Amino acid sequence: MKNASQSNRRKYMELYFWLGVMLGVLPPVLAILTELYLQQLPLTVWAIQYVLRKNPILWVFNLGPLVLGATGYFLGRQQDLMINLTASLEQRVAQRTAELRQSNQVQEILNSLLRLSLEELSMQETLEQALERIINIPWLPTEPKGGIFLTSEDDPNVLLLRASHNMAVPLLKSCARVPFGTCLCGRVAQSRTILFTDCVDERHEIQYEGMKPHGHYNVPIVHRDKVLGVLVLYVSDGHQPQPNEKEALQAIAHTLASMIAARQAEEDLTRQKKFFETLVQTSPAAVVVMSSDQTIQSCNEAFVSLFEYTREECVGQKLDALIVPPEAHEQAQQYSQQALAGNLINQIAQRRSKNGRVIDVKISAVPVRIEGETVGVIAIYHDITELLQAKREAEEAAKAKADFLANMSHEIRTPLNAIIGMTSLLLDTRLDDEQANFVETIRNSGDTLLAVINDILDFSKIEAGKMTVEKVPFNIAYCIESALDLVAAKAFEKRLELAYVLQENMPVKFQGDITRLRQVLVNLLGNAVKFTQAGEVTVSAAVENVQGSLYTLHFQVRDTGIGIPKDKLHRLFEAFSQADTSTTRKFGGTGLGLAISKRLIELMGGTIWVESEEGKGSTFHFTIQAEPASGTASLFPRQAQPNLSNRRLLVVDDNDTNRLILQKHAASWGMSVSAAASGKEALQRIEQERFDLMILDMQMPEMDGLTLAQEIRKHPTAAQTPLIMLTSLGRKPEGAEGVAFNAFLSKPIKTSQLYNTVCEVLAARPSAEAVAPQKQAVFDPSMGDRHPLRILLAEDNLINQKVAIGLLKKLGYRADLAANGLEVLEALRRQEYDIILMDAQMPEMDGEQAARIIIERYPRGKRPRLAAVTANALEGDRERFLAIGFDDYISKPIQVEELVRVLQNTVPLPRKTTRPLRLHGESTSSGD
Amino acid sequence: MPLDPSAFNQYREFMGEDADAFIADIVQTFMTSAPKALEDMKALIAAGKRTEFVRAAHTLKSNSATVGANDLRQLCETMERQGHTLDSAALESMLAQAVREYQQAERELKDWLAK
């Protein structure tokens, strides 16, 4: 076409040129001929020359051919260009049209592939239909033959022939499985680039007999960098590829890739969905799916069989209306709300089946969330009816066991107590040495047996998780003192010093379980005394840490005993473990004590540990957590006491710890304290200065307390100084009467007792003034005058009345009487009292009830002090009464010391009236 | 030994010269009230009034402790503790035992007072 247009162009240019020349020749020829004719000249060369010479204008005409020829040339050229332009335009249009048609067809095929992907077809059908469409693209010079391979799911380096069209039968077999790198398709899968061949060459590895020559397009199907498969198309032998063919095939492969990928994902999803559906349907747990308004959307087989509703009966119904019993509606509603709010629910509850069967279920519920929005809830119900039944049975069995154990231990303990009690009595009778030895052994064995039984009972309680700790107000100082009391006898026998010290200014009233704390302390103290031959055993308590209202209290029980070998330390707190079996033989014990202590301490939120050095002693540490009880006041005053301040005290004790404790306490009350470590030193001190009071330890080497006291009583200046003797177990040493001690204090030193005694001894005395020693100064018959109180005795029992009134009278008090709680209230309406001594058990209204009413009616500070008097000397009774609101506690039969202490601690209420005190008021009533 | 004379020791020491009169008064009161209490308890068992019975046992327990009649106290304590659970026959036999204990204690108390 180009050549043709080129020749055309030339033709037009020449044609127009010559036409122009010829048209240009005409005017000069006509002009010359006209001139010749006008001049009457002949047509000769001469005549022409003549005319030309004569008419120079003719030269202008002679230029005609030249001008017109040139014009023609240019016109021709113009024409030529026009034609040329048109031709090329036509050509371009045709080309573009062809291109458009092709791309349209590609587009169409792509569209149809996309449509295919939207249809609900299996992968197989999709591939087959896609293949059919691709090989039928009209412009593609393919033969209507081809196939699609997909990468195997099991082996990502193998192609599997998944769809084929018109492929030769032998190939279907040999191409069913093509490893990557093998034959054309395998190569393409590896190289990931499109491959074209126009003949069967050496790369065409898979061949068969009678194969006709052909070429191929092998197109990799790649999606997100992953080879999904290969598309193979046949072209005729010797086909010249056009560039747009590759492009189109690329686009098709691309679409095919996303189609296959989508289909694969879909298949995965379907498979997964089926898997989960099967899982849910065959799950032994009842599963129900609800919308956010708790309408059931679906449920599984187990749900149907558990709740006895058919699926049709469930779906569309509200879950709660079907299976929640009316009384649990509110709670069920809460669970649903919580699940919808996005929380996981894990609860045990009761649900009801269609037939009204009550089922114990464990409910797990999870919110169903789609893109952050909760659209429903899945609830899972495990039937635990049988489980709970089994649990109940097991618990009953455990309870029966525990009851049996408790009963047994009671049954054992009752006769055992009799054995111990009777042997104690027997020991007080006249026995010869051998008999005494036998009885002593029986008595000790009884004690040991009792301890073992108590330990085993406690341990089994703890093991069964039955041991609970109480939370009632108690006083730490009292707790430690009462623990020390229990080991005092043993310590005395071994001549061990016992002492305790509280951190200065620490609160002493806490909420906790005094009985358990005391048990731990007694255990540790018992061990300490048991394993110490000489020296001392001390207890200390301190606040280790305060977090908000929670205190961590640190206790230490230190001894100077045999210590524990390092390699035995770690097993110390295990059950049935003592440091050594030989230890058991030598010292006795069940080996349960520390294990029990450890558990008890853990129950109280603490830990226990030990530091020990063999031969030097051990320190057991433990912590507990407790909140201070309201009104955290010290049991005894910590601040300086006016009547004690600056009074001079001499402490004589050879034991450093005891001396230090005494010094510390006295100093905290404002006393000026000196100390001496021996009787000799003490005698030197009294030569130098005078004291208001001396506290002497009984047991001291060289010069004991009694000898020292005798010396002091002989001393010219110090003879009249009040003396307090420190003894063990309150046993007055023989000969003490002769010395006239003003008071005896038993060790371990109880702070409150020390305080009261010091106060009492010093009360009536002016500073450092000599007063004749009194008999029975501990119980002051003038106490009623010194410390007047209005007392109401609430007691229905005549004997108890007589005892109490007799004792009070001796102290200088007279009390009014009430026979029951009602009479107490009646008496309070008539008159104010400073203290009520209230029997716990009275007819009509008992003491506990009366106390509650009084506490309710009269505010603190306006009501009398309430002291409970009870014959039930059970452990923990005291705490129980204090918890009710009683201020104090006396056990029956009434001990004089206790009565004095209670009265001493009573602060009279401010008197309303100015009339004289009715110290010796008339009885308002008399019981019995 | 059913009687523990040391029960009064602390009072004796404390009351000084008033001690004898004081103790005698207490013991006399005990010897008048206890037989009556034992009779009452018998009637209460028969009437099935266990709460009252337990209360009476409690009172007698307290009183026998005061005078040092330890065996009687122990019996009373058992009756108090188990007064609601034991059957009448058991309580009655226990009570009979208590009466015997009381008589024994009474004899000793009288001897002791005479001294």
Side-chain angles (χ1 to χ4, degrees), chain A residues 106 139 194 217 242-253:
Chain A
V106 171
W139 55 268
I194 206 161
Y217 265 119
Q242 300 295 318
N244 52 353
E245 289 174 6
K246 268 195 182 175
E247 276 168 36
L249 285 173
Q250 207 86 59
I252 287 168

Side-chain angles (χ1 to χ4, degrees), chain A residues 300-408:
Chain A
N300 70 349
E301 210 45 57
F303 187 89
V304 169
S305 68
L306 182 61
F307 292 107
E308 296 158 352
Y309 289 99
T310 64
R311 208 158 296 192
E312 291 68 37
E313 286 170 324
C314 297
V315 173
Q317 300 293 314
K318 300 273 188 194
L319 177 73
D320 289 2
L322 293 184
I323 64 164
V324 179
E327 65 275 10
H329 256 283
E330 209 167 300
Q331 179 207 43
Q333 205 60 36
Q334 269 178 12
Y335 293 165
S336 305
Q337 293 308 326
Q338 280 175 22
L340 282 171
N343 299 316
L344 302 183
I345 305 295
N346 246 326
Q347 298 286 348
I348 287 177
Q350 286 194 331
R351 292 293 179 258
R352 205 181 43 186
S353 78
K354 184 183 175 187
N355 300 328
R357 190 164 55 90
V358 174
I359 310 162
D360 288 305
V361 283
K362 178 166 176 287
I363 306 173
S364 312
V366 287
V368 180
R369 278 185 174 162
I370 295 177
E371 285 171 1
E373 201 185 335
T374 307
V375 297
V377 175
I378 295 175
I380 301 165
Y381 295 85
H382 286 275
D383 182 0
I384 54 168
T385 314
E386 283 176 19
L387 206 68
L388 283 188
Q389 180 64 26
K391 189 176 163 238
R392 269 192 288 271
E393 279 165 15
E395 277 168 357
E396 271 162 29
K399 189 177 177 299
K401 206 173 98 187
D403 286 349
F404 171 75
L405 211 58
N407 279 335
M408 274 312 293

